[in-house]
Amino acid sequence: MLNDDVVTEGGSLRLAQERDLITVLEEVEISIDLAGAIAEATQVKAVAESLGRSDVAFWAEVTALDALARSKGSPDAMSRGKIILDWATLQGDARLASRCHALLAMMNLIAGYSGAGAEHATIAVTLLDGTEQPRLLAKMLTRQALGLLAAGLLEQGFDVSRRALALAEQLDDQELLSRLASNAFHSALDELMPDEARFWLQRLEGVIAASPDLEAELSDVLARGHLAAGRPVEALAVLERSGDIGPADAQPETRAGRMLLLAQAHHGLGNLPAAIDALDEADRITVHHALEEVASMVLEERASVAASSGNHQLAYELHRTFHQAARTRWIETRRSQVDHLFAEQNVIAALERAEQAEAAVAIDPLTKVRNRRWVEDSLPDVVRAWQTGGPWTGSLAILDLDHFKQVNDRFGHHAGDDVLVAVAGCLQECRGVRDVARIGGEEFLLVLQQHADQEQVARDVLSAVRALRWPHVDPELRLTASIGFAGCEQGPVAALLREADRHLYRAKRAGRNRAEGPW
């Protein structure tokens, strides 16, 4: 998975390794092999923790929880997702917050809280910054569409469904197309929208024509269409060809829904014992995974089966229980803080909140300069612009504070934080420095202004750091720094960071309090 032979003392080499780690994780989170995704994400988490990258470790954990919840179910996913979201919000990490919101969206939708699911899914999509894999965007759009449609926001839901459809078609991702069209088709049927239902059914037929092996996975949609048209024989045939509960790695609500369809097909054919057996299995799945909405539909079907068997007293009691459960769920939904999203204006409010969080994505919470996220996402664009502008048009440097550990050891971490804040502010004021990013505990990346003279910037920065004073910590406290420069004449960002790191360690070995570069 990673190049374990890379041994690094400095931030730039570690950044290169971390980018490899992130590349692996980005592939894992779009994998359709859920069991494999859980295993790989767990491995990524362990490596990220060893590198001290809590953000990537949490991201990997959320990825594993998402896959686990979609396969075996995960009762802890909701609570754990909220804890990680709180951390991401505090850190201003929009990338991680987006994944947390996507996880919470799915967990709320599984539990039947469609309004909360819609809001979380909407925020998850809004927090994406355009650097994510197109398949991840399509996946999140599909989840957002499902939430909006389930919450009754039909116009927005079908609009988002079409956005996801266009992206899935560009990717030629038949599996994603099938899931997207299936969700939209079910919603159109529920809302008595025959034209919309036909549109999505045509998309499904196109999927089956392109990938016949997906027909079994679409059996619930086909069966429901047959049942709606009064064709229980055809519905039962579709379900039996594909298996009673679908693939073992199907989402729990999908498996429970298929058992409900099987019960309805048997009921339509008058085979009441078989219908009851199917309902019992559906109950088992809904109880294990807390699928309240599906459980309510199972209860309603039990009442109908009881009436068909002549047990009208039982049918009456089941109908009462069904309506009481439905009302309880409605009250809980109305009381839920986020389920006000049933009103369109609250979707807009969710978007505004997401945009506020997005604005903080690239800022280090302590020093208020750029952070690693900015280096990973934006620095490559800066370097590409320089490299297309002619020879030697830009440069960067890595600065490390000399013996900074002694500051923390002597004066405590609060004093160390004060020192870091002052250094960051000082670096931003230095002539020739365009951007400053904190890439390690006491390590900063300096992006120079175009055509700035490296040696002059080095002299100014070293002098500015030496001039800093902290009388409230210790009047005698002095700091120096070592700097390594790299010219952005050619090569990818990772290579430039390695060059800067090599020069930084030349400066360290030469006695510190100096700069080294390609001059």
Side-chain angles (χ1 to χ4, degrees):
M1 181 178 64
L2 291 171
N3 181 6
D4 294 326
D5 295 332
V6 175
V7 178
T8 175
E9 299 178 76
S12 65
L13 291 179
R14 188 170 63 186
L15 275 172
Q17 188 179 29
E18 289 167 358
R19 273 193 293 274
D20 291 340
L21 189 69
I22 289 169
T23 298
V24 171
L25 187 53
E26 287 174 336
E27 291 297 328
V28 171
E29 66 181 349
I30 61 172
S31 173
I32 61 174
D33 176 8
L34 299 182
I38 294 168
E40 281 205 79
T42 302
Q43 184 184 2
V44 169
K45 179 185 176 185
V47 177
E49 288 174 340
S50 73
L51 293 172
R53 284 298 300 268
S54 297
D55 58 334
V56 179
F58 280 138
W59 177 11
E61 181 179 352
V62 169
T63 300
L65 286 171
D66 193 289
L68 184 62
R70 286 186 288 138
S71 54
K72 302 176 182 178
S74 176
D76 299 328
M78 181 83 80
S79 59
R80 189 63 185 155
K82 290 177 179 177
I83 291 171
I84 298 174
L85 176 60
D86 287 342
W87 186 91
T89 302
L90 182 64
Q91 298 297 317
D93 189 338
R95 175 175 60 188
L96 177 58
S98 173
R99 273 61 170 187
C100 290
H101 280 293
L103 173 63
L104 294 174
M106 182 180 65
M107 298 309 297
N108 276 284
L109 291 171
I110 289 175
Y113 299 119
S114 55
E119 178 170 5
H120 281 297
T122 297
I123 296 176
V125 170
T126 306
L127 287 177
L128 296 173
D129 61 5
T131 63
E132 67 283 339
Q133 297 248 21
R135 277 186 173 80
L136 178 67
L137 173 58
K139 170 184 167 182
M140 287 197 175
L141 285 172
T142 299
R143 195 168 293 182
Q144 181 190 18
L146 177 61
L148 292 168
L149 291 171
L153 295 167
L154 304 181
E155 181 179 353
Q156 295 93 332
F158 286 120
D159 282 348
V160 173
S161 295
R162 281 173 167 76
R163 282 183 60 199
L165 173 67
L167 187 53
E169 287 177 337
Q170 289 174 11
L171 295 168
D172 194 26
D173 189 332
Q174 300 301 318
E175 191 276 335
L176 182 60
L177 278 168
S178 68
R179 188 164 68 250
L180 171 67
S182 176
N183 291 337
F185 177 71
H186 283 306
S187 296
L189 282 182
D190 289 341
E191 298 297 335
L192 304 178
M193 302 172 66
D195 292 341
E196 193 73 31
R198 278 192 293 272
F199 172 84
W200 292 106
L201 183 58
Q202 289 171 359
R203 304 286 85 71
L204 287 168
E205 290 170 346
V207 168
I208 294 172
S211 301
D213 56 312
L214 289 176
E215 183 174 8
E217 295 184 24
L218 296 173
S219 60
D220 56 336
V221 184
L222 301 174
R224 189 176 181 201
H226 287 311
L227 288 171
R231 298 190 296 267
V233 173
E234 289 87 343
L236 184 60
V238 167
L239 292 169
E240 287 180 341
R241 281 199 304 271
S242 64
D244 288 348
I245 61 174
D249 62 349
Q251 294 185 22
E253 65 270 29
T254 299
R255 291 184 283 129
R258 288 189 179 188
M259 290 309 300
L260 176 59
L261 288 170
L262 185 65
Q264 292 170 336
H266 282 306
H267 185 189
L269 293 171
N271 189 347
L272 301 186
I276 293 172
D277 287 344
L279 290 171
D280 288 343
E281 177 61 19
D283 262 337
R284 185 191 66 77
I285 299 170
T286 58
V287 169
H288 181 70
H289 295 284
L291 307 177
E292 296 184 17
E293 188 168 355
V294 182
S296 178
M297 292 187 288
V298 170
L299 188 61
E300 184 179 29
E301 181 62 20
R302 280 195 186 278
S304 181
V305 170
S308 295
S309 67
N311 192 340
H312 298 292
Q313 179 63 32
L314 176 60
Y316 172 72
E317 293 298 331
L318 288 170
H319 269 295
R320 282 189 59 191
T321 305
F322 164 72
H323 286 294
Q324 287 171 356
R327 177 164 177 76
T328 298
R329 196 169 65 256
W330 180 83
I331 292 172
E332 289 175 351
T333 297
R334 293 295 295 172
R335 286 176 179 171
S336 172
Q337 184 178 13
V338 295
D339 269 279
H340 293 163
L341 194 78
F342 282 106
E344 183 175 356
Q345 59 266 31
N346 289 347
V347 177
I348 298 172
L351 293 172
E352 290 175 349
R353 287 195 297 276
E355 289 170 357
Q356 291 168 3
E358 187 178 23
V361 62
I363 301 300
D364 176 59
L366 173 65
T367 61
K368 307 306 178 187
V369 297
R370 308 285 194 180
N371 62 10
R372 288 174 175 271
R373 178 72 186 279
W374 181 85
V375 175
E376 293 164 358
D377 293 346
S378 300
L379 183 59
D381 293 333
V382 174
V383 171
R384 276 193 295 271
W386 278 343
Q387 292 173 342
T388 57
W392 200 272
T393 58
S395 53
L396 53 81
I398 294 176
L399 177 148
D400 186 82
L401 296 176
D402 297 328
H403 305 299
F404 179 76
K405 184 176 182 296
Q406 295 178 8
V407 176
N408 284 329
D409 291 345
R410 289 181 59 196
F411 306 111
H413 287 281
H414 288 299
D417 288 348
D418 288 346
V419 168
L420 290 171
V421 170
V423 169
C426 158
L427 296 177
Q428 288 180 297
E429 297 298 322
C430 288
R431 218 171 19 168
V433 175
R434 165 184 162 166
D435 289 298
V436 178
R438 185 181 176 204
I439 60 174
E442 66 273 16
E443 201 166 41
F444 295 86
L445 174 74
L446 308 180
V447 180
L448 275 59
Q449 293 174 356
Q450 195 168 25
H451 305 300
D453 181 85
Q454 290 183 340
E455 293 184 81
Q456 183 61 53
V457 171
R459 287 191 291 269
D460 291 345
V461 169
L462 291 172
S463 175
V465 172
R466 286 193 293 263
L468 288 171
R469 298 292 183 270
W470 294 272
H472 64 290
V473 176
D474 185 334
E476 301 303 317
L477 177 60
R478 303 288 187 272
L479 277 183
T480 61
S482 300
I483 314 174
F485 281 80
C488 297
E489 187 173 5
Q490 60 184 357
V493 169
L496 300 173
L497 290 171
R498 290 189 180 97
E499 180 187 352
D501 200 62
R502 284 193 297 272
H503 285 132
L504 170 64
Y505 276 88
R506 282 177 54 189
K508 292 281 189 183
R509 287 192 295 269
R512 296 182 169 84
N513 188 23
R514 66 191 64 217
E516 295 283 346
W519 48 73

